[in-house]
Amino acid sequence: MTLLLGATTIGLILALLALGVYLSFRIFNFPDITADGSITLGASVTAVLLMHRWSPWLATFAGFAAGMAAGAITGVLHTKFKINGLLSGILVMTALYSVNLHVMGKSNVPLLNEVTLASQAESVGQHLFHTDGDLNILGWAVGVRDAAMLLSMAGLVSLLGFALYLFFRTNLGTAMRATGDNPQMIRALGVSVDFILILGLALSNGLIALAGGLLAQYQGFADVQMGIGMVVWGLASVIIGEALVGSHRIGLLITGAVMGSILFRLLVAIALRWGLNPNDLKLITAAFVFVALIAPATLRKLKSSPKPSAA
Amino acid sequence: MLEISNIYKTFNPGTPNEVRALRGVSLRLETSSFLIIIGTNGSGKSTLLNAVAGTFLVDTGSIKLADTEISRWAEHKRARFVGRVFQNPFSGTAPNMSIAENLALAARRGQPRGLGWALNHKLHSELRDRIRTLNMGLENRMDNAIGSLSGGQRQALTLLMASWLKPELLLLDEHTAALDPKSADQVIRLTHEIINRDKLTTLMVTHSMQQAVHLGDRIVMMHRGEVLHDLQGAERARVRPEDLLKRFDEVRRREQLDAAVAEMLRRNYI
Ligand SMILES: Nc1ncnc2c1ncn2[C@@H]1O[C@H](COP(=O)(O)OP(=O)(O)OP(=O)(O)O)[C@@H](O)[C@H]1O
Ligand SMILES: [Mg+2]
């Protein structure tokens, strides 16, 4: 049970990663690899500030802001210096590896006795449930910390997902969606495509860095390696989400990305429990995304291939 | 008023692919006048419209619109003054967004876009009323993605979008060329209605001599990046499709003559 609760919580946290990936890959059709670096950036900035006794909310927000800056740089490299999109992301991601090491001063920062959002959620939980031991939920023993963290992350992610949905219905947000859909058209309607792309990538990487900051607080450390392969994990969640909701409506797609992230984490937890070698996880995820990417086209081809009777 | 003075544009200068697409074009277009541009393929008609819209910057020359020098402005900045319909029906709309959202985007052409709602009740019903005037039944499909519409329906909507805020200048680049004859007629009728009603200053490129003669109050014929003929006033009023075709033949004959002379020179001197 604790295993499933933990997986769900991580799924919720990484739903912010999925939303960021959704924004860059799906809204802009921009394969933004910066994510691998910005999720670690969010984690390291937040962790180091927590070590310096910043308030957890401020430290978390600072991680978000750092991610925005990273995304904006990728956007500037692509729009102002005309560097290929994929390469822009790779450049920033590579640079961020050094930046993250500098921020942390070493490759791993543990958060043991610091006040974090996780420890705050735990004490609020103890207060509410009047216990500091385990809760009894339908016969299962559940740690207060786990339950409190799950609930607060569910609240936070719902809030942010809803805010993103509302944003996409504002003038700026619709212009952003149109920029991905048809840049020629939106330019002719007076929108600077460059500016919108920079803003969008900043927002995307801000969300991803936020996921990193929250993850560091939940698992109790930031590590310079933690971002490796995250883009593909985010993409897997988005793809699962799209399959779950099967719609192009923006609200459903956002919900789908969150659900996809949770489902993906649960599947991973179960697979590991059944004896999957953790070293194979990234290979299997990559293979899954590969299959999911080619499946629609392959299915179409199979369907439309002329049948002998029809010819 | 639009004032184009002596603009030049060369693509890929200094390479084997060099194209001198505009070679000193000057045009003065009074407010509310409707100019039709015709010319052979590759004569620079689209390039002229793109130069005004700001798709690229011209090499030299000036472009003034509404008493403002805009020749150095970025395309999205010029959009404040310019409404545009492209030849390709896919170019003018965002296919995965709804009809209502596309029009709402156009309703803020050239204005700052902040965190206000893109669509509210008032705008929605305003949009619905205007879409109803198209007589295409689209007012009941406002929330459908534009990608599901036909080319003719898209061009009609793009026209509505381009003219929504009554632009200082409307640019139409063969906007019916990709449509079937029936849809083309429908879109041309709509074009005529909108331009007449709002007295829009318009530049329209067409390959149809019928359209050239029946629409607009002035005809410019381009050739090799230059203005070859400029028919206005009484001369324009007299002109028939056959006369225009004759001028195309003239151009073609001269082209052949040029080619023949070049060939003769080559044989004699090289
Ligand atoms: N972006 C570009 N890069 C290079 N050459 C270009 C570019 N745009 C136009 N040209 C060239 O400039 C010349 C004029 O092209 P333009 O599209 O203006 O012709 P047009 O009069 O619109 O022709 P059509 O009737 O076929 O649409 C052509 O030779 C074309 O190949
Ligand atoms: Mg053309």
Side-chain angles (χ1 to χ4, degrees), chain A residues 106-125:
Chain A
K106 50 191 173 188
S107 61
N108 187 296
V109 171
L111 295 169
L112 298 176
N113 301 313
E114 281 74 18
V115 178
T116 65
L117 287 182
S119 71
Q120 283 187 339
E122 187 179 357
S123 50
V124 170

Side-chain angles (χ1 to χ4, degrees), chain B residues 32-204:
Chain B
S32 301
S33 58
F34 183 175
L35 170 67
I36 305 275
I37 303 176
I38 57 175
T40 48
N41 291 112
S43 55
K45 307 180 294 292
S46 298
T47 305
L48 178 63
L49 259 60
N50 288 337
V52 174
T55 312
F56 49 74
L57 298 182
V58 292
D59 300 333
T60 58
S62 104
I63 303 170
K64 264 192 192 163
L65 192 53
D67 293 322
T68 317
E69 172 66 47
I70 59 167
S71 61
R72 297 282 114 195
W73 285 18
E75 182 175 4
H76 66 91
K77 208 172 155 204
R78 296 189 205 186
R80 202 164 86 213
F81 295 140
V82 179
R84 208 168 174 202
V85 184
F86 302 92
Q87 174 173 354
N88 185 343
F90 292 94
S91 299
T93 47
N96 292 312
M97 299 176 74
S98 69
I99 295 178
E101 283 174 326
N102 269 275
L103 277 134
L105 284 165
R108 296 192 72 83
R109 176 173 51 76
Q111 295 173 5
R113 291 167 203 263
L115 296 178
W117 297 128
L119 274 167
N120 53 36
H121 268 297
K122 185 163 156 283
L123 182 59
H124 206 273
S125 63
E126 219 174 299
L127 297 175
R128 187 188 299 271
D129 290 344
R130 284 294 294 278
I131 291 177
R132 191 171 289 124
T133 63
L134 297 179
N135 282 327
M136 291 176 161
L138 296 177
E139 62 274 12
N140 303 318
R141 301 170 58 184
M142 300 262 295
D143 295 321
N144 289 20
I146 288 223
S148 62
L149 305 186
S150 73
Q153 292 171 327
R154 285 188 192 203
Q155 286 304 66
L157 284 175
T158 310
L159 195 57
L160 208 56
M161 288 165 61
S163 60
W164 190 270
L165 289 182
K166 298 198 177 61
E168 207 68 41
L169 177 69
L170 181 64
L171 298 177
L172 308 171
D173 189 356
E174 298 191 46
H175 65 307
T176 61
L179 306 181
D180 62 88
K182 197 162 148 262
S183 311
D185 274 352
Q186 211 171 2
V187 171
I188 282 298
R189 223 174 309 128
L190 183 67
T191 308
H192 186 73
E193 265 170 39
I194 288 179
I195 292 174
N196 268 355
R197 187 192 60 213
D198 294 341
K199 309 264 173 297
L200 299 177
T201 315
T202 306
L203 270 182
M204 169 170 154

Side-chain angles (χ1 to χ4, degrees), chain A residues 165-175 177-179 181-182 184-193 248-249, chain B residues 75-76 79 82 86 90-97 101-102 105-106 108-110 113-118 143 161:
Chain A
Y165 168 70
L166 292 181
F167 171 71
F168 279 135
R169 302 187 54 176
T170 63
N171 286 312
L172 186 61
T174 40
R177 284 161 56 211
T179 302
D181 211 8
N182 185 349
Q184 182 182 24
M185 165 255 200
I186 198 69
R187 206 180 282 124
L189 293 178
V191 173
S192 164
V193 167
H248 287 289
R249 294 198 166 268
Chain B
E75 182 175 4
H76 66 91
V82 179
F86 302 92
F90 292 94
S91 299
T93 47
N96 292 312
M97 299 176 74
E101 283 174 326
N102 269 275
L105 284 165
R108 296 192 72 83
R109 176 173 51 76
R113 291 167 203 263
L115 296 178
W117 297 128
D143 295 321
M161 288 165 61

